[in-house]
Amino acid sequence: MDAASLLKLLQRAWWTVAANHSPLGEFGLGDGWPVLKKSKLDISDPVLVGDRIVVQTKLVKRSESEIMFRQAIFREGRSDSVAEADTSFECVDQLGQRRAFPESFLNSFGIGKHETPGSVRHVSVGNWSSAVEVHGTGADAVLFIHGFPLDRRMWRHLTSTLTGWKRIAPDLRGMGLTRLPDTQYAIADLADDMVGLLDALGQDRAVVCGLSMGGYVAFEMWRRHSDRITGLILANTKAAADDRAARRGRDETIKLVTQEGPASLADQMIPKLLGTSSLNAMPRVVEHLRNMITETSVDGIVAALKAMKSRSDSTQLLSSIDIPTLVLTGEDDKIVPVGTAKEMAKKIPGAQFVSIAEAGHLTPLEQPIAVSRVIGEFLESLR
Ligand code: MLT
């Protein structure tokens, strides 16, 4: 097969991925249009007419001015690629002038700066109130619980793309737009908050998807309210409680943040939160992450650190999980190493384990397309 035909196939794969995962309909309305900038194709083994092939497409770079997809072609059933391509797109307006990608497009990859107007509401849960984004309708719901020190905005790609499911993404106490109560809370209180939120939204049961600290909350939900959970997605998280060294580390972080503010935490955490390739190639993700961390109050950060420091160990709980479970991690996670996540998955009867390439601790932000595909397939398997 000649290179031009191969490029056409790759292009088809790119458009399919983009159309499935971003609001491409919003292009062409005066906002601009993505145009091909550069394509580099390396063919290591000829692809013949009649060969059955699989094209894997990954987003590897995104900034306001350029997005790049890396694609690999495999013969069906083989793991060594026969060709690889890097394709970059830039955005032009109707006059063909270069411009930044529309905010709505960047939002769909979880990295935009602005809220969708009206997307956040405040829901009363007893004497407490939670900021929450709810997308979609229907009985099939997914509750997305964010990690530390982040907020609901880390789920943007998934909340805009997993149509067909009601997507509920709250801010935990003291994070994002949810205020911090006057008294210290425990992770178990956050689990009760989540159930109060489901009640307030009239949602009987939901699939619970928690990342890292959100996973600690998911474990507490399972311990306390298992009848409200139809499936579990445990992303970049672990079941073990903090050991002595980790607790000491929490105290040091509390001291640092109290003395020097949230920017010091951003400096300390960003290199650990992101995988090396994301740190080098995804400046918008780094910026988005820094914004989320520095917009969190010192009190909110300190309260979350104290709650995590004293959380229960959930290792013994794992064997009791008898609902469909997906354990998801990033190959370059420096906070919860792949091995730890894999061991955890082995202890959950029937759990599926997926490790995402070129991602660190924040898989949904670093590899949004791969993660939404894996989560989308898991959710479909539950129907
Ligand atoms: C998180 O991402 O939520 C935190 O890294 C969890 C933790 O510090 O244990």
Side-chain angles (χ1 to χ4, degrees):
M1 186 185 285
D2 59 67
S5 314
L6 213 49
L7 276 170
K8 245 188 213 150
L9 274 176
L10 292 175
Q11 192 187 28
R12 216 165 83 196
W14 186 82
W15 281 114
T16 307
V17 167
N20 282 344
H21 294 279
S22 66
L24 280 183
E26 293 187 24
F27 278 115
L29 298 177
D31 253 353
W33 189 258
V35 290
L36 187 65
K37 183 180 178 200
K38 197 167 50 187
S39 196
K40 183 171 145 284
L41 176 64
D42 280 326
I43 304 175
S44 46
D45 199 5
V47 179
L48 306 176
V49 175
D51 277 351
R52 290 178 69 85
I53 57 168
V54 174
V55 180
Q56 195 183 69
T57 301
K58 261 193 280 180
L59 181 72
V60 290
K61 180 175 168 191
R62 58 203 137 126
S63 66
E64 275 170 20
S65 56
E66 184 183 346
I67 53 175
M68 183 166 105
F69 285 84
R70 178 157 298 153
Q71 295 174 301
I73 297 184
F74 302 87
R75 288 211 173 79
E76 210 172 48
R78 298 281 300 273
S79 59
D80 44 336
S81 63
V82 292
E84 288 183 3
D86 280 348
T87 308
S88 306
F89 294 80
E90 59 186 11
C91 187
V92 295
D93 64 19
Q94 281 164 327
L95 301 174
Q97 315 263 19
R98 249 182 242 144
R99 50 153 295 159
F101 277 98
E103 192 66 24
S104 54
F105 182 77
L106 295 172
N107 271 339
S108 76
F109 287 102
I111 54 173
K113 284 185 186 137
H114 304 297
E115 306 290 351
T116 319
S119 61
V120 184
R121 47 203 246 224
H122 290 264
V123 174
S124 294
V125 182
N127 56 3
W128 168 83
S129 155
S130 170
V132 60
E133 273 184 46
V134 182
H135 302 264
T137 52
D140 293 337
V142 189
L143 174 68
F144 290 101
I145 313 176
H146 63 77
F148 167 86
L150 310 172
D151 58 55
R152 69 187 188 291
R153 290 174 291 176
M154 61 154 286
W155 297 114
R156 273 209 188 130
H157 183 79
L158 292 169
T159 52
S160 31
T161 57
L162 290 172
T163 49
W165 289 78
K166 186 172 181 180
R167 288 94 67 201
I168 304 170
D171 285 332
L172 298 174
R173 296 184 184 197
M175 307 272 162
L177 298 175
T178 297
R179 71 175 177 80
L180 184 69
D182 296 336
T183 49
Q184 176 63 43
Y185 63 82
I187 297 291
D189 295 317
L190 299 181
D192 293 352
D193 288 348
M194 295 301 104
V195 169
L197 180 64
L198 292 181
D199 288 341
L201 295 173
Q203 194 70 45
D204 186 24
R205 283 151 45 96
V207 175
V208 174
C209 172
L211 182 134
S212 201
M213 178 182 171
Y216 308 158
V217 179
F219 285 129
E220 277 310 319
M221 284 183 78
W222 178 255
R223 200 189 310 275
R224 303 161 73 83
H225 309 281
S226 60
D227 56 325
R228 306 296 296 269
I229 309 178
T230 51
L232 269 176
I233 302 167
L234 301 167
N236 305 82
T237 195
K238 55 176 181 269
D242 279 8
D243 59 15
R244 193 179 300 174
R247 289 201 296 273
R248 222 178 11 246
R250 302 275 188 212
D251 291 337
E252 280 160 19
T253 310
I254 289 173
K255 201 161 145 199
L256 174 81
V257 175
T258 310
Q259 286 172 355
E260 296 180 27
S264 62
L265 182 66
D267 292 342
Q268 187 195 72
M269 282 197 79
I270 289 173
K272 293 186 209 155
L273 287 169
L274 294 176
T276 307
S277 55
S278 315
L279 276 170
N280 294 335
M282 295 183 173
R284 280 289 296 235
V285 173
V286 175
E287 187 198 335
H288 179 49
L289 193 51
R290 180 170 291 279
N291 288 343
M292 275 192 279
I293 299 175
T294 52
E295 284 166 18
T296 312
S297 69
V298 170
D299 289 347
I301 291 170
V302 169
L305 286 164
K306 287 184 178 166
M308 288 193 286
K309 180 183 162 188
S310 55
R311 73 184 186 279
S312 307
D313 194 296
S314 296
T315 313
Q316 297 305 320
L317 207 61
L318 298 176
S319 60
S320 73
I321 299 178
D322 57 359
I323 52 170
T325 300
L326 167 67
V327 174
L328 185 74
T329 194
E331 268 174 22
D332 194 17
D333 190 332
K334 298 158 201 155
I335 295 179
V336 181
V338 182
T340 307
K342 199 171 191 169
E343 279 312 303
M344 181 175 84
K346 278 191 196 152
K347 294 187 177 132
I348 303 174
Q352 190 186 334
F353 174 77
V354 177
S355 173
I356 305 281
E358 290 178 58
H361 190 58
L362 300 180
T363 45
L365 276 172
E366 296 176 69
Q367 292 298 341
I369 294 173
V371 170
S372 59
R373 182 179 53 75
V374 170
I375 291 188
E377 283 170 9
F378 174 73
L379 292 175
E380 281 317 303
S381 75
L382 304 183
R383 290 214 204 254

